[in-house]
């Protein structure tokens, strides 16, 4: 009778919305999974983490039985859910006035076969999600060509890029998504109802592809609690910073917000900086650079931008670039230069901008006059924060600095394809121009390593 009681009320809950109705108001418990999304596990070649939410935990189930993924290889178009994995559920209480509560479920699928399509659903005996599917990486080796969509600053209002990203995801265009901070606007708003709605919206992308994230300034409320709780990035650092390998690329994700919200203490900044130096140093070892030559870092706030506002990147002494004022401790740009980071990707500005290779405001193009991105002598910075949010577009200065190669106010997102060990290709998609490519360039390197050499 209890399961029948839940089923009778499930349709009402789905119409009214996950966070709009409390369990007290309708006197039921909500067990239905929603907000399903994927991430790479600790091993990108064989692990996927499935994360979802329920309002409450099913009663009287043995440990782990409330968080189950049934999955299996997709064979001849048929989903054969012959395998299962159990995980954990964590209670999350939003910091808002209503102290809205939900349970975040996490299950790791391990020992996945490469180049395989898996179908899965998640939940428990009291309720299951729809059946989704994902494709594992083509090979456990580095010699394949990953394709990604990259963007920041997408809300659940004015999410200009979402429809095209949904369509392209369903067409199998990408191996992963990178969202470079600022979600929902904001996930904590309206007692976290806005966050719930956003996670439901991106399910059409994130339940099919690893959705890799970093925090932005809009996640700050209650010490980034909504962001920390809702995502499942590798590394065990509350999703704030981590790294992962994909094909010939070593991706490094950082929180730029540790430089700006010092009210939460200095420990996150110091811990991240020490971790980053160690991670980059390891990735730059000759034997690792030989195996996986590209290093790409991403974080929310840019070191450089030419926008017409008072954001930190419009100042020469950007905190993330040079570190603390006067003493210049914990500056990131020297690390990027020392360990030969190839590309730095940012968001925050609601626009797109590509820079010439740059270090300390000096353009350091490649040695060939007509090929500035062939063997450049400094990292290449890209700002891609124009996926669409309720705050609108970001204007540019009347006179664009000489280090800025291209800029646009069009809504859109960035595509990256790592073709091989020597060639990366970037494209900027314009939603204003119905998916037209408004900017593209090749980054070509015959050798990788520190720019000091």
């Amino acid at each position: 009778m209890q399961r029948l009681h839940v089923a009778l009320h499930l349709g009402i809950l789905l119409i009214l919305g996950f966070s709009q109705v409390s369990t007290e108001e309708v006197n039921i418990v909500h067990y239905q999974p929603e907000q399903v999304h994927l991430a790479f596990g600790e091993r990108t070649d064989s692990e996927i983490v499935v994360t979802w939410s329920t309002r409450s935990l099913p009663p009287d189930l043995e440990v782990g039985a409330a968080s189950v993924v049934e999955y299996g290889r997709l064979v001849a178009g048929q989903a054969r859910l012959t395998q299962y994995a159990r995980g954990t559920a964590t209670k999350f209480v939003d910091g808002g006035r209503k102290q809205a509560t939900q349970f975040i479920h996490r299950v790791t699928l391990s020992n996945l076969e490469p180049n395989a399509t898996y179908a899965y659903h998640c939940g428990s005996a009291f309720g299951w999600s729809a059946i989704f599917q994902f494709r594992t990486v083509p090979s456990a080796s580095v010699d394949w060509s990953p394709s990604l969509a990259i963007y920041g600053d997408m809300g659940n209002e004015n999410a200009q890029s979402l429809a095209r990203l949904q369509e392209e995801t369903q067409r199998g265009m990408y191996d992963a998504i990178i969202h470079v901070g600022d979600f929902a606007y904001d996930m904590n708003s309206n007692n976290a109802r806005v966050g719930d709605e956003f996670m439901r919206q991106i399910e059409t992308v994130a339940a099919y592809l690893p959705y890799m994230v970093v925090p932005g300034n809009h996640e700050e409320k209650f010490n980034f609690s909504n962001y920390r709780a809702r995502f499942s990035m590798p590394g065990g650092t509350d999703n704030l910073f981590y790294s992962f390998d994909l094909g010939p690329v070593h991706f490094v994700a950082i929180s730029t917000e540790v430089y700006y919200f010092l009210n939460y203490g200095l420990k996150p900044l110091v811990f991240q900086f020490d971790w980053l130096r160690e991670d980059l140093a390891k990735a730059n070892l000759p034997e690792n650079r030989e195996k996986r030559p590209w290093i790409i870092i991403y974080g929310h706030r840019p070191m450089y931008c030419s926008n017409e506002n008072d954001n930190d990147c419009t100042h020469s002494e950007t905190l993330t670039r040079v570190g603390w004022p006067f003493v210049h401790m914990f500056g990131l740009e020297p690390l990027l230069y020392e360990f030969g980071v190839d590309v730095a990707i940012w968001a925050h500005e609601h626009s797109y901008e590509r820079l010439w290779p740059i270090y300390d405001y000096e353009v350091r193009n490649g040695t060939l006059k007509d090929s500035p991105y062939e063997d450049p002598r400094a990292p290449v910075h890209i700002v891609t924060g124009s996926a669409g949010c309720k705050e609108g577009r970001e204007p540019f200065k009347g006179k664009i600095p000489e280090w800025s190669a291209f800029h646009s106010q069009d809504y859109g997102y960035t595509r990256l394809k790592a073709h091989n060990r020597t060639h990366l290709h970037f494209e900027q998609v314009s939603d204003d121009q119905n998916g037209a490519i408004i900017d593209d360039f090749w980054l070509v390197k015959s050798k990788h390593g520190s720019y000091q050499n």
Side-chain angles (χ1 to χ4, degrees), residues 13 115 139 407:
L13 278 174
N115 199 32
S139 171
H407 66 281

Side-chain angles (χ1 to χ4, degrees), residues 61-91:
L61 291 181
E62 59 182 288
V63 175
S67 308
V68 178
V69 174
E70 295 181 340
Y71 66 104
R73 293 282 299 269
L74 195 65
V75 179
Q78 297 296 314
R80 299 181 180 178
L81 309 182
T82 57
Q83 299 172 264
Y84 78 94
R86 291 183 174 187
T88 60
T90 305
K91 185 178 182 179

